[in-house]
Every structure is written in structure tokens, then in C-alpha cells.
Amino acid sequence: MNYNKSINAFKQSQELIPGGVNSPVRAFKSVKCNPVFFDYGKGSKIYDIDGNEYIDCISSWGPLIFGHSDKTTQSKISDYLKRGTTYGAPTEIESEMAKKIIELVPSIEKVRMVNSGTEATMSAIRLARGYTSKNLILKFAGNYHGHGDSFLIKAGSGAMTLGLPDSPGVTKNTAKDTIIAEFNSIESVAKQFKKNLGKIAAVIIEPVAGNMGLVQSRKDFLIELRKLCDKNKSLLIFDEVMSGFRLSQGGAQQLYDVIPDITTLGKIIGGGLPVGAYGGKAEIMDYLAPTGPVYQAGTLSGNPLAMSAGLSVLNRLNEKLFDKLESISKKIHEGFMQNIHETGTKAIINRAGSMMTLFFTENEKIENYNDAITCDLDMYAKYFKSMLDEGVYLPPSQFECMFISSVYSTKDIDKIISSNKKSLQSI
Ligand SMILES: *Cc1c(COP(=O)(O)O)cnc(C)c1O
């Protein structure tokens, strides 16, 4: 494939935008090649500015469950567009959105809209701190909750004791209010509760983690986590920015039947426009201004164009759709497994519904951050490049997952599987 125009576009963007991109992973740094600049998308395919066609296995990190240029979403946006874009004042469509979310997500009785997943998680922990009058937040190594200061805490052994910030610009004082436990280890959580008795406002977790590659919680772990939070009067926050509306209509909490106090949402909820939300028990949510003392606001929050796009997706979530996603994803999973076996590649696959990651590792299981970092990143980089050249667009990092959309044809599925085989043979 020829990537000349993308190479030139990246040269130019690097002079204008830090690192040439508006979100770091897009720069393809960890897969060591030039990022591809896109022109348009249609259905399962995206087209770059050099005219190359790819099957899109990222779906904009999840939102595009109905593929690109989805007609229903487009028409809902354009219907609203005729009436304006935003008023910075209430509209009925916000209540329509809230009603839909409350109907779908088991734990949510009231919900506040924001503009991104990061805003949702930042606001959720402020609310948890205000509501409980406690300061500490417990998060898990390898879980990502957006770029809020409190969440950028390094997930290593030093951090477990010292709370060292992961990024310059995060102050030590902020970092020390975030404590780390090991994903899927209830002992590590119990230890932190014991050590910080009466001080933990909330535990935040990706119940199905998508940001260290796909790593599922064990059910017993989540059940015990819920119990520990209750016992210590700490809130349990499920960050379902990725898993919400993607793993099932009601997200991971519905699948696991474990009910958090607060849930954060993003990605799919905007149908491709920038939207986030957080919701939970009415008693907790009413602690927000203007009814309660905890402040949180947003000029464009709940703006009607974004609500139209999001609702166009949420209104079409049903069991048939999730069955379809499962069947497509299962075919790809099985095809990849066969290829791994036939090529003798040292790799395993984690999958939950339409989210999956192929890990290049000699481990038999990937259950937490320490497992995930055993992966061979050079191997992933080669695999990624080979798939790109084959016309399959994968996440440009070993620690992200594929998001499969419901519009893949049988031909697309076959092509993804055959390209996987070729790529595994070539690396
Ligand atoms: C993407 C993501 C976020 C951040 O959302 P943005 O919209 O990128 O700010 C937070 N939590 C999880 C689990 C995510 O996957």
C-alpha cells in the first residue's frame, strides 16, 4: 500500500499539533509506523487520504456499533440540525436521553450528561468524595479512567506504596489521594481498606477492562468488591465508558449482576459525537448542584445534536443486535485461535462479546496488569503493520482492544481471519 499522503499529512500536523495528533495513541508510536489519516468511512470500511480501504476493527474505540455513516444516526442528527445546534438551556431531548439510560442501565436512577468519558469519571469521584466526606480513591493497576489528574497514577510496585504520579503536571498531593490495588485480587483491595481505614471514598473499576488489552473481572471478585465497599461505606464506581451498551444493553453490570453506586458512561452513548454521562442512585445523584452541594457544570452538556446521535444508537440496542455482535465476534475469535494454533504463534485471546485482544505472550492467562506487561510489543507492532498492509485496521497498541461492529459481512469476517493468518505467518 501507498501511504504518501498520510506521511505528508503527519509531517504537517506535527508542526501544528503536539505530536501531530489530538490524542496520543493515534500517533502509532507504539507500533512504530506512520499514522494513517482518514478521509471517510462507510459501513464496515474506512478510507484513508491515499485511497486505501480498510475493514475497521476499532469503530472509533467503540461508539460505531452500526458502522460508519450509519443512515439512522445521520438522519437524526440532520433532523435536529435544522432547529439549531445548542442553546445552553434545557431541552426535552435531554430527558428523553436520561429516560433511555435509566431504562437500560440497572444501577442508574438519575443521570447527568457531560461531554467525554474523562469528564464523567472526574465528576463521579468528586461526587463520591462529597457524598462520603472521605478523600481517597482506590483504582486498579492497568485500568484507565481518562486523563483526569487523579487517575494518572502509575501502576507499578512503587506507586502501590508511594502513589507516584504517572505524568509530570500531576502533583504529589493529588497522586497520594489515589491508591492502587491489583485487578482481580480481592486480597489487594482488602489490604488497602485495612491500611486506609475509613478514608476511602470510592473504588473505581473497569468491570471489563479494555485499556490493558481486554481483561475481564472474575465474577467472584466483583461480588466481593461490592461487599467490601458496603462494609467500609465506600462507593463502588463502575467505569463503563467502554463496556456500557457494548457488552449488553445494560453493560457489564447487567452481565455480572453486580450493581455499582455510580456508573460512568461514554463512547457509544454519543453515537459518534462527544458525550459522557454519570449516573446512579437518586440519593447520591441529588447531591449534585443545583439540588446538592457538589458542583459540576458544562456549557455544551446535553447539547441536542449529541443527544440525537446518542439516542439514535441507544434506541436500537436489543437482544437481536447483541446476538449478532456475539456471532460475528465468535467467528473472528475462533478463526484467530485456529490461526494461532496452525502457525504455532505464542499468543492468547481474551474476548468479552464484541471486545477482544490478541496478546502476544507465553502466559496462559492474562488476568491483570502484571500479566499484560509480559506481552511482546515488537511482535504486536509487526503484526499491526502487516494487518494494516492487508487492509485491516487494528488498534495501534497491544494494550487496546478490537471493537467489532454489527455491519461486518461474511466477506469482511473471512478477510479479517485470512489476513490474521498471513500476518501471523509473516512475523
Ligand atoms: C475512553 C475511556 C475513558 C475516557 O473517555 P474519553 O471520552 O476519552 O475522555 C474513561 N474510561 C474508560 C474505561 C475508557 O475506556
Side-chain angles (χ1 to χ4, degrees), residues 42-45 55-56 59 64-71 246 316 321 324-325 328 403-413 416:
K42 201 167 188 325
S44 60
K45 310 280 186 355
I55 301 170
D56 184 10
S59 308
L64 304 179
I65 211 160
F66 297 106
H68 291 269
S69 303
D70 169 61
K71 288 272 179 305
R246 179 157 271 280
R316 280 180 291 161
L321 172 75
K324 190 170 177 197
L325 281 168
I328 295 171
F403 294 93
I404 287 152
S405 78
S406 59
V407 294
Y408 289 2
S409 64
T410 308
K411 215 172 131 199
D412 292 333
I413 298 169
I416 294 169

PDB file of all heavy atoms in Angstrom, residues 42-45 55-56 59 64-71 246 316 321 324-325 328 403-413 416:
ATOM      1  N   LYS A  42     -17.574   4.154   5.570  1.00  0.00           N
ATOM      2  CA  LYS A  42     -18.901   3.701   5.128  1.00  0.00           C
ATOM      3  C   LYS A  42     -19.084   2.263   5.582  1.00  0.00           C
ATOM      4  O   LYS A  42     -18.259   1.412   5.240  1.00  0.00           O
ATOM      5  CB  LYS A  42     -18.968   3.800   3.597  1.00  0.00           C
ATOM      6  CG  LYS A  42     -20.368   3.849   3.045  1.00  0.00           C
ATOM      7  CD  LYS A  42     -20.313   4.271   1.574  1.00  0.00           C
ATOM      8  CE  LYS A  42     -21.680   4.534   0.969  1.00  0.00           C
ATOM      9  NZ  LYS A  42     -22.802   3.743   1.381  1.00  0.00           N
ATOM     10  N   GLY A  43     -20.084   2.019   6.394  1.00  0.00           N
ATOM     11  CA  GLY A  43     -20.326   0.661   6.874  1.00  0.00           C
ATOM     12  C   GLY A  43     -19.142   0.128   7.659  1.00  0.00           C
ATOM     13  O   GLY A  43     -18.641   0.775   8.578  1.00  0.00           O
ATOM     14  N   SER A  44     -18.647  -1.032   7.248  1.00  0.00           N
ATOM     15  CA  SER A  44     -17.538  -1.656   7.980  1.00  0.00           C
ATOM     16  C   SER A  44     -16.176  -1.100   7.568  1.00  0.00           C
ATOM     17  O   SER A  44     -15.159  -1.455   8.143  1.00  0.00           O
ATOM     18  CB  SER A  44     -17.554  -3.163   7.720  1.00  0.00           C
ATOM     19  OG  SER A  44     -17.411  -3.409   6.326  1.00  0.00           O
ATOM     20  N   LYS A  45     -16.172  -0.228   6.533  1.00  0.00           N
ATOM     21  CA  LYS A  45     -14.888   0.206   5.946  1.00  0.00           C
ATOM     22  C   LYS A  45     -14.551   1.660   6.257  1.00  0.00           C
ATOM     23  O   LYS A  45     -15.433   2.501   6.398  1.00  0.00           O
ATOM     24  CB  LYS A  45     -14.955   0.069   4.414  1.00  0.00           C
ATOM     25  CG  LYS A  45     -15.443  -1.265   3.898  1.00  0.00           C
ATOM     26  CD  LYS A  45     -14.361  -2.296   3.931  1.00  0.00           C
ATOM     27  CE  LYS A  45     -14.732  -3.634   3.301  1.00  0.00           C
ATOM     28  NZ  LYS A  45     -16.076  -3.853   2.836  1.00  0.00           N
ATOM     29  N   ILE A  55     -10.901  -2.605   6.604  1.00  0.00           N
ATOM     30  CA  ILE A  55     -12.006  -3.007   7.471  1.00  0.00           C
ATOM     31  C   ILE A  55     -11.678  -2.431   8.843  1.00  0.00           C
ATOM     32  O   ILE A  55     -10.578  -2.633   9.367  1.00  0.00           O
ATOM     33  CB  ILE A  55     -12.125  -4.538   7.559  1.00  0.00           C
ATOM     34  CG1 ILE A  55     -12.355  -5.140   6.170  1.00  0.00           C
ATOM     35  CG2 ILE A  55     -13.273  -4.916   8.509  1.00  0.00           C
ATOM     36  CD1 ILE A  55     -12.253  -6.660   6.142  1.00  0.00           C
ATOM     37  N   ASP A  56     -12.612  -1.703   9.404  1.00  0.00           N
ATOM     38  CA  ASP A  56     -12.339  -1.000  10.661  1.00  0.00           C
ATOM     39  C   ASP A  56     -12.639  -1.893  11.861  1.00  0.00           C
ATOM     40  O   ASP A  56     -13.786  -2.264  12.097  1.00  0.00           O
ATOM     41  CB  ASP A  56     -13.187   0.270  10.732  1.00  0.00           C
ATOM     42  CG  ASP A  56     -12.874   1.098  11.964  1.00  0.00           C
ATOM     43  OD1 ASP A  56     -11.880   0.781  12.659  1.00  0.00           O
ATOM     44  OD2 ASP A  56     -13.617   2.058  12.228  1.00  0.00           O
ATOM     45  N   SER A  59     -13.801   0.906  15.359  1.00  0.00           N
ATOM     46  CA  SER A  59     -15.118   1.558  15.499  1.00  0.00           C
ATOM     47  C   SER A  59     -15.028   2.814  16.361  1.00  0.00           C
ATOM     48  O   SER A  59     -15.874   3.037  17.231  1.00  0.00           O
ATOM     49  CB  SER A  59     -16.145   0.582  16.100  1.00  0.00           C
ATOM     50  OG  SER A  59     -16.171  -0.629  15.385  1.00  0.00           O
ATOM     51  N   LEU A  64     -19.098   3.172  17.226  1.00  0.00           N
ATOM     52  CA  LEU A  64     -19.783   2.924  15.954  1.00  0.00           C
ATOM     53  C   LEU A  64     -20.264   1.487  15.826  1.00  0.00           C
ATOM     54  O   LEU A  64     -19.861   0.738  14.950  1.00  0.00           O
ATOM     55  CB  LEU A  64     -18.854   3.306  14.790  1.00  0.00           C
ATOM     56  CG  LEU A  64     -18.344   4.752  14.852  1.00  0.00           C
ATOM     57  CD1 LEU A  64     -17.415   5.055  13.692  1.00  0.00           C
ATOM     58  CD2 LEU A  64     -19.505   5.748  14.880  1.00  0.00           C
ATOM     59  N   ILE A  65     -21.169   1.139  16.686  1.00  0.00           N
ATOM     60  CA  ILE A  65     -21.689  -0.225  16.733  1.00  0.00           C
ATOM     61  C   ILE A  65     -22.473  -0.560  15.458  1.00  0.00           C
ATOM     62  O   ILE A  65     -22.593  -1.710  15.072  1.00  0.00           O
ATOM     63  CB  ILE A  65     -22.523  -0.390  18.034  1.00  0.00           C
ATOM     64  CG1 ILE A  65     -22.476  -1.805  18.556  1.00  0.00           C
ATOM     65  CG2 ILE A  65     -23.912   0.123  17.913  1.00  0.00           C
ATOM     66  CD1 ILE A  65     -22.857  -1.926  20.041  1.00  0.00           C
ATOM     67  N   PHE A  66     -22.976   0.474  14.774  1.00  0.00           N
ATOM     68  CA  PHE A  66     -23.664   0.271  13.491  1.00  0.00           C
ATOM     69  C   PHE A  66     -22.810   0.691  12.303  1.00  0.00           C
ATOM     70  O   PHE A  66     -23.328   0.962  11.215  1.00  0.00           O
ATOM     71  CB  PHE A  66     -24.992   1.035  13.474  1.00  0.00           C
ATOM     72  CG  PHE A  66     -25.973   0.550  14.508  1.00  0.00           C
ATOM     73  CD1 PHE A  66     -26.240   1.291  15.642  1.00  0.00           C
ATOM     74  CD2 PHE A  66     -26.614  -0.679  14.360  1.00  0.00           C
ATOM     75  CE1 PHE A  66     -27.124   0.837  16.612  1.00  0.00           C
ATOM     76  CE2 PHE A  66     -27.499  -1.145  15.322  1.00  0.00           C
ATOM     77  CZ  PHE A  66     -27.762  -0.385  16.448  1.00  0.00           C
ATOM     78  N   GLY A  67     -21.519   0.775  12.495  1.00  0.00           N
ATOM     79  CA  GLY A  67     -20.614   1.093  11.392  1.00  0.00           C
ATOM     80  C   GLY A  67     -20.565   2.586  11.080  1.00  0.00           C
ATOM     81  O   GLY A  67     -21.188   3.413  11.751  1.00  0.00           O
ATOM     82  N   HIS A  68     -19.797   2.898  10.017  1.00  0.00           N
ATOM     83  CA  HIS A  68     -19.609   4.298   9.631  1.00  0.00           C
ATOM     84  C   HIS A  68     -20.759   4.819   8.776  1.00  0.00           C
ATOM     85  O   HIS A  68     -21.388   4.051   8.038  1.00  0.00           O
ATOM     86  CB  HIS A  68     -18.306   4.434   8.826  1.00  0.00           C
ATOM     87  CG  HIS A  68     -17.082   4.217   9.672  1.00  0.00           C
ATOM     88  ND1 HIS A  68     -16.433   5.229  10.326  1.00  0.00           N
ATOM     89  CD2 HIS A  68     -16.415   3.075   9.995  1.00  0.00           C
ATOM     90  CE1 HIS A  68     -15.399   4.734  10.999  1.00  0.00           C
ATOM     91  NE2 HIS A  68     -15.366   3.417  10.821  1.00  0.00           N
ATOM     92  N   SER A  69     -20.973   6.119   8.845  1.00  0.00           N
ATOM     93  CA  SER A  69     -22.009   6.805   8.047  1.00  0.00           C
ATOM     94  C   SER A  69     -23.352   6.094   8.184  1.00  0.00           C
ATOM     95  O   SER A  69     -24.082   5.948   7.202  1.00  0.00           O
ATOM     96  CB  SER A  69     -21.610   6.859   6.551  1.00  0.00           C
ATOM     97  OG  SER A  69     -20.373   7.486   6.402  1.00  0.00           O
ATOM     98  N   ASP A  70     -23.650   5.685   9.381  1.00  0.00           N
ATOM     99  CA  ASP A  70     -24.909   4.990   9.633  1.00  0.00           C
ATOM    100  C   ASP A  70     -26.083   5.937   9.322  1.00  0.00           C
ATOM    101  O   ASP A  70     -26.151   7.042   9.846  1.00  0.00           O
ATOM    102  CB  ASP A  70     -24.919   4.544  11.099  1.00  0.00           C
ATOM    103  CG  ASP A  70     -26.281   4.052  11.533  1.00  0.00           C
ATOM    104  OD1 ASP A  70     -26.757   3.076  10.937  1.00  0.00           O
ATOM    105  OD2 ASP A  70     -26.867   4.668  12.441  1.00  0.00           O
ATOM    106  N   LYS A  71     -26.978   5.455   8.473  1.00  0.00           N
ATOM    107  CA  LYS A  71     -28.067   6.316   7.954  1.00  0.00           C
ATOM    108  C   LYS A  71     -28.992   6.827   9.063  1.00  0.00           C
ATOM    109  O   LYS A  71     -29.401   7.983   9.053  1.00  0.00           O
ATOM    110  CB  LYS A  71     -28.911   5.539   6.926  1.00  0.00           C
ATOM    111  CG  LYS A  71     -28.211   5.296   5.617  1.00  0.00           C
ATOM    112  CD  LYS A  71     -28.464   6.481   4.667  1.00  0.00           C
ATOM    113  CE  LYS A  71     -27.781   6.322   3.329  1.00  0.00           C
ATOM    114  NZ  LYS A  71     -26.338   6.084   3.369  1.00  0.00           N
ATOM    115  N   ARG A 246     -22.134  -1.812  25.126  1.00  0.00           N
ATOM    116  CA  ARG A 246     -21.401  -2.608  24.137  1.00  0.00           C
ATOM    117  C   ARG A 246     -21.426  -4.096  24.495  1.00  0.00           C
ATOM    118  O   ARG A 246     -21.562  -4.951  23.632  1.00  0.00           O
ATOM    119  CB  ARG A 246     -19.948  -2.126  23.976  1.00  0.00           C
ATOM    120  CG  ARG A 246     -19.180  -2.967  22.958  1.00  0.00           C
ATOM    121  CD  ARG A 246     -17.996  -2.273  22.361  1.00  0.00           C
ATOM    122  NE  ARG A 246     -18.303  -1.511  21.159  1.00  0.00           N
ATOM    123  CZ  ARG A 246     -18.439  -2.036  19.932  1.00  0.00           C
ATOM    124  NH1 ARG A 246     -18.321  -3.332  19.720  1.00  0.00           N
ATOM    125  NH2 ARG A 246     -18.689  -1.266  18.885  1.00  0.00           N
ATOM    126  N   ARG A 316     -31.784   1.613  19.380  1.00  0.00           N
ATOM    127  CA  ARG A 316     -31.746   0.396  18.545  1.00  0.00           C
ATOM    128  C   ARG A 316     -31.017  -0.771  19.215  1.00  0.00           C
ATOM    129  O   ARG A 316     -30.755  -1.791  18.583  1.00  0.00           O
ATOM    130  CB  ARG A 316     -31.065   0.714  17.204  1.00  0.00           C
ATOM    131  CG  ARG A 316     -31.994   1.407  16.215  1.00  0.00           C
ATOM    132  CD  ARG A 316     -31.277   1.689  14.923  1.00  0.00           C
ATOM    133  NE  ARG A 316     -30.252   2.731  15.088  1.00  0.00           N
ATOM    134  CZ  ARG A 316     -29.246   2.924  14.250  1.00  0.00           C
ATOM    135  NH1 ARG A 316     -29.087   2.135  13.199  1.00  0.00           N
ATOM    136  NH2 ARG A 316     -28.391   3.897  14.457  1.00  0.00           N
ATOM    137  N   LEU A 321     -29.496  -7.555  18.225  1.00  0.00           N
ATOM    138  CA  LEU A 321     -28.234  -6.894  17.878  1.00  0.00           C
ATOM    139  C   LEU A 321     -27.057  -7.534  18.626  1.00  0.00           C
ATOM    140  O   LEU A 321     -26.008  -7.813  18.044  1.00  0.00           O
ATOM    141  CB  LEU A 321     -28.313  -5.401  18.211  1.00  0.00           C
ATOM    142  CG  LEU A 321     -26.982  -4.654  18.070  1.00  0.00           C
ATOM    143  CD1 LEU A 321     -26.647  -4.419  16.603  1.00  0.00           C
ATOM    144  CD2 LEU A 321     -27.009  -3.333  18.822  1.00  0.00           C
ATOM    145  N   LYS A 324     -26.150 -10.822  17.263  1.00  0.00           N
ATOM    146  CA  LYS A 324     -25.414 -10.670  16.011  1.00  0.00           C
ATOM    147  C   LYS A 324     -23.942 -10.320  16.284  1.00  0.00           C
ATOM    148  O   LYS A 324     -23.033 -10.900  15.691  1.00  0.00           O
ATOM    149  CB  LYS A 324     -26.078  -9.575  15.171  1.00  0.00           C
ATOM    150  CG  LYS A 324     -25.559  -9.507  13.769  1.00  0.00           C
ATOM    151  CD  LYS A 324     -26.412  -8.584  12.923  1.00  0.00           C
ATOM    152  CE  LYS A 324     -25.823  -8.487  11.523  1.00  0.00           C
ATOM    153  NZ  LYS A 324     -26.343  -7.321  10.799  1.00  0.00           N
ATOM    154  N   LEU A 325     -23.744  -9.370  17.191  1.00  0.00           N
ATOM    155  CA  LEU A 325     -22.367  -8.988  17.551  1.00  0.00           C
ATOM    156  C   LEU A 325     -21.604 -10.194  18.089  1.00  0.00           C
ATOM    157  O   LEU A 325     -20.438 -10.412  17.759  1.00  0.00           O
ATOM    158  CB  LEU A 325     -22.385  -7.884  18.616  1.00  0.00           C
ATOM    159  CG  LEU A 325     -22.650  -6.462  18.135  1.00  0.00           C
ATOM    160  CD1 LEU A 325     -22.929  -5.546  19.322  1.00  0.00           C
ATOM    161  CD2 LEU A 325     -21.475  -5.928  17.319  1.00  0.00           C
ATOM    162  N   ILE A 328     -20.719 -12.662  15.178  1.00  0.00           N
ATOM    163  CA  ILE A 328     -19.595 -12.165  14.354  1.00  0.00           C
ATOM    164  C   ILE A 328     -18.274 -12.284  15.136  1.00  0.00           C
ATOM    165  O   ILE A 328     -17.265 -12.786  14.632  1.00  0.00           O
ATOM    166  CB  ILE A 328     -19.821 -10.681  13.957  1.00  0.00           C
ATOM    167  CG1 ILE A 328     -21.045 -10.547  13.048  1.00  0.00           C
ATOM    168  CG2 ILE A 328     -18.582 -10.096  13.278  1.00  0.00           C
ATOM    169  CD1 ILE A 328     -21.475  -9.108  12.781  1.00  0.00           C
ATOM    170  N   PHE A 403     -12.820  -3.443  18.563  1.00  0.00           N
ATOM    171  CA  PHE A 403     -14.258  -3.258  18.761  1.00  0.00           C
ATOM    172  C   PHE A 403     -14.941  -3.644  17.467  1.00  0.00           C
ATOM    173  O   PHE A 403     -14.760  -2.990  16.439  1.00  0.00           O
ATOM    174  CB  PHE A 403     -14.583  -1.804  19.097  1.00  0.00           C
ATOM    175  CG  PHE A 403     -14.035  -1.365  20.423  1.00  0.00           C
ATOM    176  CD1 PHE A 403     -12.800  -0.755  20.508  1.00  0.00           C
ATOM    177  CD2 PHE A 403     -14.762  -1.552  21.590  1.00  0.00           C
ATOM    178  CE1 PHE A 403     -12.277  -0.344  21.734  1.00  0.00           C
ATOM    179  CE2 PHE A 403     -14.263  -1.142  22.818  1.00  0.00           C
ATOM    180  CZ  PHE A 403     -13.019  -0.534  22.892  1.00  0.00           C
ATOM    181  N   ILE A 404     -15.701  -4.713  17.547  1.00  0.00           N
ATOM    182  CA  ILE A 404     -16.307  -5.267  16.349  1.00  0.00           C
ATOM    183  C   ILE A 404     -17.680  -4.635  16.144  1.00  0.00           C
ATOM    184  O   ILE A 404     -18.420  -4.412  17.109  1.00  0.00           O
ATOM    185  CB  ILE A 404     -16.343  -6.795  16.508  1.00  0.00           C
ATOM    186  CG1 ILE A 404     -14.895  -7.312  16.346  1.00  0.00           C
ATOM    187  CG2 ILE A 404     -17.286  -7.447  15.509  1.00  0.00           C
ATOM    188  CD1 ILE A 404     -14.588  -8.569  17.076  1.00  0.00           C
ATOM    189  N   SER A 405     -17.996  -4.305  14.892  1.00  0.00           N
ATOM    190  CA  SER A 405     -19.303  -3.679  14.663  1.00  0.00           C
ATOM    191  C   SER A 405     -20.263  -4.686  14.047  1.00  0.00           C
ATOM    192  O   SER A 405     -19.870  -5.753  13.588  1.00  0.00           O
ATOM    193  CB  SER A 405     -19.173  -2.417  13.805  1.00  0.00           C
ATOM    194  OG  SER A 405     -19.021  -2.755  12.455  1.00  0.00           O
ATOM    195  N   SER A 406     -21.539  -4.322  14.062  1.00  0.00           N
ATOM    196  CA  SER A 406     -22.575  -5.281  13.660  1.00  0.00           C
ATOM    197  C   SER A 406     -22.760  -5.331  12.147  1.00  0.00           C
ATOM    198  O   SER A 406     -23.581  -6.079  11.656  1.00  0.00           O
ATOM    199  CB  SER A 406     -23.899  -4.906  14.327  1.00  0.00           C
ATOM    200  OG  SER A 406     -24.257  -3.596  13.932  1.00  0.00           O
ATOM    201  N   VAL A 407     -21.994  -4.512  11.414  1.00  0.00           N
ATOM    202  CA  VAL A 407     -22.221  -4.447   9.968  1.00  0.00           C
ATOM    203  C   VAL A 407     -21.170  -5.212   9.150  1.00  0.00           C
ATOM    204  O   VAL A 407     -21.137  -5.091   7.928  1.00  0.00           O
ATOM    205  CB  VAL A 407     -22.312  -2.972   9.467  1.00  0.00           C
ATOM    206  CG1 VAL A 407     -23.540  -2.307  10.057  1.00  0.00           C
ATOM    207  CG2 VAL A 407     -21.061  -2.185   9.820  1.00  0.00           C
ATOM    208  N   TYR A 408     -20.335  -6.006   9.811  1.00  0.00           N
ATOM    209  CA  TYR A 408     -19.374  -6.812   9.056  1.00  0.00           C
ATOM    210  C   TYR A 408     -20.126  -7.836   8.198  1.00  0.00           C
ATOM    211  O   TYR A 408     -21.032  -8.520   8.686  1.00  0.00           O
ATOM    212  CB  TYR A 408     -18.444  -7.610   9.990  1.00  0.00           C
ATOM    213  CG  TYR A 408     -17.408  -6.816  10.756  1.00  0.00           C
ATOM    214  CD1 TYR A 408     -17.314  -5.444  10.662  1.00  0.00           C
ATOM    215  CD2 TYR A 408     -16.508  -7.484  11.576  1.00  0.00           C
ATOM    216  CE1 TYR A 408     -16.349  -4.744  11.387  1.00  0.00           C
ATOM    217  CE2 TYR A 408     -15.544  -6.798  12.308  1.00  0.00           C
ATOM    218  CZ  TYR A 408     -15.480  -5.421  12.207  1.00  0.00           C
ATOM    219  OH  TYR A 408     -14.533  -4.753  12.928  1.00  0.00           O
ATOM    220  N   SER A 409     -19.696  -7.957   6.934  1.00  0.00           N
ATOM    221  CA  SER A 409     -20.264  -9.000   6.076  1.00  0.00           C
ATOM    222  C   SER A 409     -19.460 -10.289   6.286  1.00  0.00           C
ATOM    223  O   SER A 409     -18.382 -10.264   6.896  1.00  0.00           O
ATOM    224  CB  SER A 409     -20.157  -8.575   4.607  1.00  0.00           C
ATOM    225  OG  SER A 409     -18.787  -8.467   4.252  1.00  0.00           O
ATOM    226  N   THR A 410     -19.985 -11.392   5.758  1.00  0.00           N
ATOM    227  CA  THR A 410     -19.242 -12.647   5.816  1.00  0.00           C
ATOM    228  C   THR A 410     -17.884 -12.482   5.142  1.00  0.00           C
ATOM    229  O   THR A 410     -16.872 -13.005   5.604  1.00  0.00           O
ATOM    230  CB  THR A 410     -20.046 -13.769   5.117  1.00  0.00           C
ATOM    231  OG1 THR A 410     -21.340 -13.755   5.692  1.00  0.00           O
ATOM    232  CG2 THR A 410     -19.418 -15.116   5.302  1.00  0.00           C
ATOM    233  N   LYS A 411     -17.884 -11.721   4.051  1.00  0.00           N
ATOM    234  CA  LYS A 411     -16.632 -11.463   3.330  1.00  0.00           C
ATOM    235  C   LYS A 411     -15.628 -10.719   4.216  1.00  0.00           C
ATOM    236  O   LYS A 411     -14.437 -11.022   4.227  1.00  0.00           O
ATOM    237  CB  LYS A 411     -16.954 -10.626   2.078  1.00  0.00           C
ATOM    238  CG  LYS A 411     -16.082 -10.968   0.887  1.00  0.00           C
ATOM    239  CD  LYS A 411     -16.575 -10.243  -0.351  1.00  0.00           C
ATOM    240  CE  LYS A 411     -15.396  -9.573  -1.022  1.00  0.00           C
ATOM    241  NZ  LYS A 411     -15.796  -8.509  -1.942  1.00  0.00           N
ATOM    242  N   ASP A 412     -16.133  -9.723   4.962  1.00  0.00           N
ATOM    243  CA  ASP A 412     -15.247  -8.972   5.881  1.00  0.00           C
ATOM    244  C   ASP A 412     -14.639  -9.928   6.916  1.00  0.00           C
ATOM    245  O   ASP A 412     -13.445  -9.875   7.195  1.00  0.00           O
ATOM    246  CB  ASP A 412     -16.033  -7.895   6.650  1.00  0.00           C
ATOM    247  CG  ASP A 412     -16.528  -6.762   5.754  1.00  0.00           C
ATOM    248  OD1 ASP A 412     -15.903  -6.507   4.717  1.00  0.00           O
ATOM    249  OD2 ASP A 412     -17.557  -6.147   6.116  1.00  0.00           O
ATOM    250  N   ILE A 413     -15.499 -10.760   7.493  1.00  0.00           N
ATOM    251  CA  ILE A 413     -15.035 -11.682   8.538  1.00  0.00           C
ATOM    252  C   ILE A 413     -13.958 -12.612   7.977  1.00  0.00           C
ATOM    253  O   ILE A 413     -12.893 -12.792   8.573  1.00  0.00           O
ATOM    254  CB  ILE A 413     -16.215 -12.498   9.109  1.00  0.00           C
ATOM    255  CG1 ILE A 413     -17.232 -11.547   9.760  1.00  0.00           C
ATOM    256  CG2 ILE A 413     -15.738 -13.549  10.107  1.00  0.00           C
ATOM    257  CD1 ILE A 413     -18.554 -12.198  10.127  1.00  0.00           C
ATOM    258  N   ILE A 416     -10.743 -10.688   7.518  1.00  0.00           N
ATOM    259  CA  ILE A 416     -10.032 -10.423   8.778  1.00  0.00           C
ATOM    260  C   ILE A 416      -9.281 -11.686   9.212  1.00  0.00           C
ATOM    261  O   ILE A 416      -8.106 -11.632   9.595  1.00  0.00           O
ATOM    262  CB  ILE A 416     -11.026  -9.963   9.882  1.00  0.00           C
ATOM    263  CG1 ILE A 416     -11.628  -8.606   9.528  1.00  0.00           C
ATOM    264  CG2 ILE A 416     -10.337  -9.898  11.250  1.00  0.00           C
ATOM    265  CD1 ILE A 416     -12.811  -8.192  10.398  1.00  0.00           C
TER     266      ILE A 416
END
